[in-house]
Amino acid sequence: MPLLLAGFLAIGPVCGALAEGLLGAKTATAPAAEATPSASNLATAPAPDSPAAQVRPFYADGADLASADRNRFVDPAKTVLEKNEILKKSGQGDCLDQNMALDEVPYDRAMLEKTFKSLESINGDQARVVVAFIEGTEPHRLEWKLKKVDGAWKITDLLSVTGEWALSQYQCE
């Protein structure tokens, strides 16, 4: 167990330091095995079987979480999305913002294409994809957590570093 914890602690600061670089802060140099930039903008497609490939449709296509294919998700994210669907079908409204992948700001395709950056970090069967973009004059940064399930990357959570919220913390009941 101490070895596992040490491995997690070793990658955590590296991922955080590199993620800060997505918004213009000075970046730390990291070994390629721990964190490799997956794309500099939306025009560059990630490898089809990569964690970034699971995240990219939310930015390249403007897809929202509520209508996204549930096969992309596993718990805890999948349960929150399913509870939101039940709530919506009951006529009681929607508990999630449609633009969660965009940090709850309006979708501006031109600005997103111009400012979008992503960074992918894989550690065994766990992965993180940090995305950053600017809307208006405000920088936004989100972190997607994924895990490998039956050989495919699945989204487990979405966190807004900028807005300080997490999908897994929503109570859609």
PDB file of all heavy atoms in Angstrom, residues 2-3 15 24 26 40 53 55 67 76 78 81 94-96 98 100 105 116 120 124 133 139 147 155 167:
ATOM      1  N   PRO A   2       1.928   1.359   0.784  1.00  0.00           N
ATOM      2  CA  PRO A   2       2.750   2.562   0.747  1.00  0.00           C
ATOM      3  C   PRO A   2       3.317   2.829  -0.643  1.00  0.00           C
ATOM      4  O   PRO A   2       3.445   3.968  -1.040  1.00  0.00           O
ATOM      5  CB  PRO A   2       3.862   2.291   1.757  1.00  0.00           C
ATOM      6  CG  PRO A   2       3.281   1.290   2.694  1.00  0.00           C
ATOM      7  CD  PRO A   2       2.355   0.460   1.856  1.00  0.00           C
ATOM      8  N   LEU A   3       3.645   1.776  -1.399  1.00  0.00           N
ATOM      9  CA  LEU A   3       4.183   1.957  -2.738  1.00  0.00           C
ATOM     10  C   LEU A   3       3.136   2.584  -3.657  1.00  0.00           C
ATOM     11  O   LEU A   3       3.425   3.488  -4.425  1.00  0.00           O
ATOM     12  CB  LEU A   3       4.649   0.614  -3.302  1.00  0.00           C
ATOM     13  CG  LEU A   3       5.269   0.646  -4.700  1.00  0.00           C
ATOM     14  CD1 LEU A   3       6.476   1.583  -4.705  1.00  0.00           C
ATOM     15  CD2 LEU A   3       5.697  -0.733  -5.114  1.00  0.00           C
ATOM     16  N   CYS A  15       1.120  16.298 -12.583  1.00  0.00           N
ATOM     17  CA  CYS A  15      -0.089  16.591 -13.338  1.00  0.00           C
ATOM     18  C   CYS A  15      -0.575  17.998 -13.024  1.00  0.00           C
ATOM     19  O   CYS A  15      -0.936  18.744 -13.913  1.00  0.00           O
ATOM     20  CB  CYS A  15      -1.173  15.562 -13.012  1.00  0.00           C
ATOM     21  SG  CYS A  15      -2.638  15.738 -14.036  1.00  0.00           S
ATOM     22  N   GLY A  24      -1.245  29.175 -18.898  1.00  0.00           N
ATOM     23  CA  GLY A  24      -0.216  30.187 -19.053  1.00  0.00           C
ATOM     24  C   GLY A  24       0.817  30.245 -17.949  1.00  0.00           C
ATOM     25  O   GLY A  24       1.810  30.922 -18.088  1.00  0.00           O
ATOM     26  N   LYS A  26       3.959  29.004 -15.613  1.00  0.00           N
ATOM     27  CA  LYS A  26       5.189  28.309 -15.950  1.00  0.00           C
ATOM     28  C   LYS A  26       5.007  26.825 -15.668  1.00  0.00           C
ATOM     29  O   LYS A  26       4.511  26.431 -14.615  1.00  0.00           O
ATOM     30  CB  LYS A  26       6.328  28.871 -15.110  1.00  0.00           C
ATOM     31  CG  LYS A  26       7.682  28.403 -15.551  1.00  0.00           C
ATOM     32  CD  LYS A  26       8.767  29.133 -14.791  1.00  0.00           C
ATOM     33  CE  LYS A  26      10.116  28.730 -15.304  1.00  0.00           C
ATOM     34  NZ  LYS A  26      11.171  29.479 -14.652  1.00  0.00           N
ATOM     35  N   SER A  40      -2.829  20.291 -29.002  1.00  0.00           N
ATOM     36  CA  SER A  40      -2.678  21.703 -28.701  1.00  0.00           C
ATOM     37  C   SER A  40      -3.962  22.461 -28.998  1.00  0.00           C
ATOM     38  O   SER A  40      -4.140  23.566 -28.541  1.00  0.00           O
ATOM     39  CB  SER A  40      -1.513  22.286 -29.506  1.00  0.00           C
ATOM     40  OG  SER A  40      -1.755  22.112 -30.888  1.00  0.00           O
ATOM     41  N   ALA A  53      -9.720  10.824 -26.316  1.00  0.00           N
ATOM     42  CA  ALA A  53     -10.731  10.544 -27.336  1.00  0.00           C
ATOM     43  C   ALA A  53     -12.127  10.448 -26.732  1.00  0.00           C
ATOM     44  O   ALA A  53     -13.117  10.722 -27.408  1.00  0.00           O
ATOM     45  CB  ALA A  53     -10.388   9.261 -28.084  1.00  0.00           C
ATOM     46  N   VAL A  55     -13.120  12.317 -24.218  1.00  0.00           N
ATOM     47  CA  VAL A  55     -13.447  13.676 -23.786  1.00  0.00           C
ATOM     48  C   VAL A  55     -13.677  14.606 -24.973  1.00  0.00           C
ATOM     49  O   VAL A  55     -14.524  15.501 -24.921  1.00  0.00           O
ATOM     50  CB  VAL A  55     -12.305  14.208 -22.883  1.00  0.00           C
ATOM     51  CG1 VAL A  55     -12.464  15.677 -22.585  1.00  0.00           C
ATOM     52  CG2 VAL A  55     -12.220  13.384 -21.606  1.00  0.00           C
ATOM     53  N   SER A  67     -27.078  14.592 -22.817  1.00  0.00           N
ATOM     54  CA  SER A  67     -27.454  13.801 -23.987  1.00  0.00           C
ATOM     55  C   SER A  67     -26.336  12.867 -24.459  1.00  0.00           C
ATOM     56  O   SER A  67     -26.502  12.162 -25.445  1.00  0.00           O
ATOM     57  CB  SER A  67     -27.861  14.735 -25.135  1.00  0.00           C
ATOM     58  OG  SER A  67     -26.752  15.493 -25.557  1.00  0.00           O
ATOM     59  N   PRO A  76     -18.769   7.176 -10.490  1.00  0.00           N
ATOM     60  CA  PRO A  76     -19.999   7.805 -10.019  1.00  0.00           C
ATOM     61  C   PRO A  76     -20.697   8.690 -11.045  1.00  0.00           C
ATOM     62  O   PRO A  76     -21.872   9.023 -10.891  1.00  0.00           O
ATOM     63  CB  PRO A  76     -19.554   8.645  -8.837  1.00  0.00           C
ATOM     64  CG  PRO A  76     -18.147   9.020  -9.135  1.00  0.00           C
ATOM     65  CD  PRO A  76     -17.574   7.849  -9.912  1.00  0.00           C
ATOM     66  N   LYS A  78     -21.886   8.115 -14.083  1.00  0.00           N
ATOM     67  CA  LYS A  78     -23.035   7.496 -14.750  1.00  0.00           C
ATOM     68  C   LYS A  78     -24.284   7.558 -13.876  1.00  0.00           C
ATOM     69  O   LYS A  78     -25.372   7.876 -14.374  1.00  0.00           O
ATOM     70  CB  LYS A  78     -22.709   6.046 -15.118  1.00  0.00           C
ATOM     71  CG  LYS A  78     -23.771   5.391 -15.962  1.00  0.00           C
ATOM     72  CD  LYS A  78     -23.323   4.028 -16.448  1.00  0.00           C
ATOM     73  CE  LYS A  78     -24.363   3.455 -17.387  1.00  0.00           C
ATOM     74  NZ  LYS A  78     -23.899   2.203 -17.993  1.00  0.00           N
ATOM     75  N   LEU A  81     -25.748  11.103 -13.920  1.00  0.00           N
ATOM     76  CA  LEU A  81     -26.401  11.382 -15.195  1.00  0.00           C
ATOM     77  C   LEU A  81     -27.730  10.633 -15.321  1.00  0.00           C
ATOM     78  O   LEU A  81     -28.728  11.180 -15.811  1.00  0.00           O
ATOM     79  CB  LEU A  81     -25.475  11.033 -16.357  1.00  0.00           C
ATOM     80  CG  LEU A  81     -24.209  11.886 -16.453  1.00  0.00           C
ATOM     81  CD1 LEU A  81     -23.265  11.321 -17.497  1.00  0.00           C
ATOM     82  CD2 LEU A  81     -24.547  13.332 -16.751  1.00  0.00           C
ATOM     83  N   ASP A  94     -34.321  19.899 -14.460  1.00  0.00           N
ATOM     84  CA  ASP A  94     -32.992  19.386 -14.763  1.00  0.00           C
ATOM     85  C   ASP A  94     -32.074  19.802 -13.623  1.00  0.00           C
ATOM     86  O   ASP A  94     -32.098  20.954 -13.206  1.00  0.00           O
ATOM     87  CB  ASP A  94     -32.527  20.038 -16.071  1.00  0.00           C
ATOM     88  CG  ASP A  94     -31.545  19.211 -16.846  1.00  0.00           C
ATOM     89  OD1 ASP A  94     -30.979  18.271 -16.287  1.00  0.00           O
ATOM     90  OD2 ASP A  94     -31.336  19.532 -18.034  1.00  0.00           O
ATOM     91  N   CYS A  95     -31.273  18.905 -13.121  1.00  0.00           N
ATOM     92  CA  CYS A  95     -30.386  19.275 -12.012  1.00  0.00           C
ATOM     93  C   CYS A  95     -28.975  19.603 -12.497  1.00  0.00           C
ATOM     94  O   CYS A  95     -28.164  20.091 -11.733  1.00  0.00           O
ATOM     95  CB  CYS A  95     -30.407  18.188 -10.943  1.00  0.00           C
ATOM     96  SG  CYS A  95     -28.974  17.179 -10.738  1.00  0.00           S
ATOM     97  N   LEU A  96     -28.682  19.356 -13.780  1.00  0.00           N
ATOM     98  CA  LEU A  96     -27.348  19.613 -14.325  1.00  0.00           C
ATOM     99  C   LEU A  96     -27.409  20.696 -15.403  1.00  0.00           C
ATOM    100  O   LEU A  96     -28.365  20.767 -16.162  1.00  0.00           O
ATOM    101  CB  LEU A  96     -26.763  18.336 -14.947  1.00  0.00           C
ATOM    102  CG  LEU A  96     -26.628  17.134 -14.028  1.00  0.00           C
ATOM    103  CD1 LEU A  96     -26.138  15.932 -14.812  1.00  0.00           C
ATOM    104  CD2 LEU A  96     -25.703  17.432 -12.871  1.00  0.00           C
ATOM    105  N   GLN A  98     -26.454  22.148 -18.921  1.00  0.00           N
ATOM    106  CA  GLN A  98     -26.134  21.496 -20.188  1.00  0.00           C
ATOM    107  C   GLN A  98     -24.701  21.754 -20.627  1.00  0.00           C
ATOM    108  O   GLN A  98     -24.147  20.993 -21.396  1.00  0.00           O
ATOM    109  CB  GLN A  98     -27.106  21.955 -21.270  1.00  0.00           C
ATOM    110  CG  GLN A  98     -28.498  21.432 -21.050  1.00  0.00           C
ATOM    111  CD  GLN A  98     -29.444  21.847 -22.163  1.00  0.00           C
ATOM    112  OE1 GLN A  98     -29.108  22.633 -23.028  1.00  0.00           O
ATOM    113  NE2 GLN A  98     -30.637  21.308 -22.123  1.00  0.00           N
ATOM    114  N   MET A 100     -21.881  21.728 -18.818  1.00  0.00           N
ATOM    115  CA  MET A 100     -20.906  21.363 -17.790  1.00  0.00           C
ATOM    116  C   MET A 100     -19.517  21.137 -18.367  1.00  0.00           C
ATOM    117  O   MET A 100     -18.523  21.513 -17.771  1.00  0.00           O
ATOM    118  CB  MET A 100     -21.370  20.153 -16.992  1.00  0.00           C
ATOM    119  CG  MET A 100     -22.565  20.467 -16.117  1.00  0.00           C
ATOM    120  SD  MET A 100     -23.035  19.092 -15.074  1.00  0.00           S
ATOM    121  CE  MET A 100     -21.956  19.393 -13.681  1.00  0.00           C
ATOM    122  N   VAL A 105     -20.373  27.794 -19.232  1.00  0.00           N
ATOM    123  CA  VAL A 105     -20.344  29.064 -19.963  1.00  0.00           C
ATOM    124  C   VAL A 105     -20.904  28.808 -21.359  1.00  0.00           C
ATOM    125  O   VAL A 105     -20.898  27.678 -21.843  1.00  0.00           O
ATOM    126  CB  VAL A 105     -18.924  29.678 -20.035  1.00  0.00           C
ATOM    127  CG1 VAL A 105     -18.412  30.008 -18.645  1.00  0.00           C
ATOM    128  CG2 VAL A 105     -17.958  28.781 -20.773  1.00  0.00           C
ATOM    129  N   PHE A 116      -8.482  26.277 -27.098  1.00  0.00           N
ATOM    130  CA  PHE A 116      -8.547  24.954 -26.465  1.00  0.00           C
ATOM    131  C   PHE A 116      -7.171  24.295 -26.363  1.00  0.00           C
ATOM    132  O   PHE A 116      -6.409  24.260 -27.322  1.00  0.00           O
ATOM    133  CB  PHE A 116      -9.472  24.044 -27.269  1.00  0.00           C
ATOM    134  CG  PHE A 116      -9.648  22.675 -26.688  1.00  0.00           C
ATOM    135  CD1 PHE A 116     -10.596  22.443 -25.705  1.00  0.00           C
ATOM    136  CD2 PHE A 116      -8.869  21.609 -27.112  1.00  0.00           C
ATOM    137  CE1 PHE A 116     -10.772  21.178 -25.176  1.00  0.00           C
ATOM    138  CE2 PHE A 116      -9.032  20.344 -26.581  1.00  0.00           C
ATOM    139  CZ  PHE A 116      -9.988  20.124 -25.606  1.00  0.00           C
ATOM    140  N   GLU A 120      -3.141  14.979 -21.321  1.00  0.00           N
ATOM    141  CA  GLU A 120      -3.557  13.653 -20.888  1.00  0.00           C
ATOM    142  C   GLU A 120      -2.486  13.043 -19.990  1.00  0.00           C
ATOM    143  O   GLU A 120      -1.302  13.141 -20.290  1.00  0.00           O
ATOM    144  CB  GLU A 120      -3.763  12.799 -22.132  1.00  0.00           C
ATOM    145  CG  GLU A 120      -4.161  11.386 -21.877  1.00  0.00           C
ATOM    146  CD  GLU A 120      -4.314  10.648 -23.197  1.00  0.00           C
ATOM    147  OE1 GLU A 120      -5.371  10.775 -23.836  1.00  0.00           O
ATOM    148  OE2 GLU A 120      -3.343   9.971 -23.596  1.00  0.00           O
ATOM    149  N   GLY A 124      -1.441   3.621 -15.034  1.00  0.00           N
ATOM    150  CA  GLY A 124      -2.068   2.300 -14.970  1.00  0.00           C
ATOM    151  C   GLY A 124      -3.432   2.316 -15.627  1.00  0.00           C
ATOM    152  O   GLY A 124      -3.562   2.691 -16.787  1.00  0.00           O
ATOM    153  N   PHE A 133      -9.442  26.390 -21.697  1.00  0.00           N
ATOM    154  CA  PHE A 133      -9.875  27.256 -22.795  1.00  0.00           C
ATOM    155  C   PHE A 133     -10.220  28.613 -22.206  1.00  0.00           C
ATOM    156  O   PHE A 133     -10.332  28.772 -20.990  1.00  0.00           O
ATOM    157  CB  PHE A 133     -11.078  26.674 -23.553  1.00  0.00           C
ATOM    158  CG  PHE A 133     -12.283  26.423 -22.688  1.00  0.00           C
ATOM    159  CD1 PHE A 133     -13.263  27.395 -22.527  1.00  0.00           C
ATOM    160  CD2 PHE A 133     -12.437  25.216 -22.020  1.00  0.00           C
ATOM    161  CE1 PHE A 133     -14.373  27.172 -21.724  1.00  0.00           C
ATOM    162  CE2 PHE A 133     -13.540  24.978 -21.208  1.00  0.00           C
ATOM    163  CZ  PHE A 133     -14.509  25.961 -21.069  1.00  0.00           C
ATOM    164  N   PRO A 139     -10.286  32.544 -18.263  1.00  0.00           N
ATOM    165  CA  PRO A 139      -9.752  31.199 -18.484  1.00  0.00           C
ATOM    166  C   PRO A 139     -10.583  30.167 -17.718  1.00  0.00           C
ATOM    167  O   PRO A 139     -11.100  30.457 -16.632  1.00  0.00           O
ATOM    168  CB  PRO A 139      -8.337  31.282 -17.923  1.00  0.00           C
ATOM    169  CG  PRO A 139      -8.392  32.372 -16.915  1.00  0.00           C
ATOM    170  CD  PRO A 139      -9.443  33.340 -17.385  1.00  0.00           C
ATOM    171  N   LYS A 147     -11.213   5.780 -16.110  1.00  0.00           N
ATOM    172  CA  LYS A 147     -10.571   4.516 -15.750  1.00  0.00           C
ATOM    173  C   LYS A 147     -10.834   3.519 -16.860  1.00  0.00           C
ATOM    174  O   LYS A 147     -11.812   3.635 -17.603  1.00  0.00           O
ATOM    175  CB  LYS A 147     -11.032   3.998 -14.391  1.00  0.00           C
ATOM    176  CG  LYS A 147     -12.373   3.366 -14.333  1.00  0.00           C
ATOM    177  CD  LYS A 147     -12.613   2.831 -12.918  1.00  0.00           C
ATOM    178  CE  LYS A 147     -13.940   2.129 -12.814  1.00  0.00           C
ATOM    179  NZ  LYS A 147     -14.151   1.574 -11.481  1.00  0.00           N
ATOM    180  N   ILE A 155     -15.386   7.516 -18.530  1.00  0.00           N
ATOM    181  CA  ILE A 155     -15.365   8.719 -17.704  1.00  0.00           C
ATOM    182  C   ILE A 155     -15.992   8.410 -16.336  1.00  0.00           C
ATOM    183  O   ILE A 155     -17.118   7.918 -16.273  1.00  0.00           O
ATOM    184  CB  ILE A 155     -16.138   9.860 -18.392  1.00  0.00           C
ATOM    185  CG1 ILE A 155     -15.489  10.176 -19.744  1.00  0.00           C
ATOM    186  CG2 ILE A 155     -16.220  11.092 -17.492  1.00  0.00           C
ATOM    187  CD1 ILE A 155     -16.351  11.026 -20.674  1.00  0.00           C
ATOM    188  N   LEU A 167     -18.950  16.844 -10.882  1.00  0.00           N
ATOM    189  CA  LEU A 167     -20.162  16.146 -11.311  1.00  0.00           C
ATOM    190  C   LEU A 167     -20.600  15.134 -10.260  1.00  0.00           C
ATOM    191  O   LEU A 167     -21.774  15.033  -9.938  1.00  0.00           O
ATOM    192  CB  LEU A 167     -19.918  15.463 -12.655  1.00  0.00           C
ATOM    193  CG  LEU A 167     -21.045  14.593 -13.203  1.00  0.00           C
ATOM    194  CD1 LEU A 167     -22.307  15.424 -13.451  1.00  0.00           C
ATOM    195  CD2 LEU A 167     -20.606  13.881 -14.468  1.00  0.00           C
TER     196      LEU A 167
END
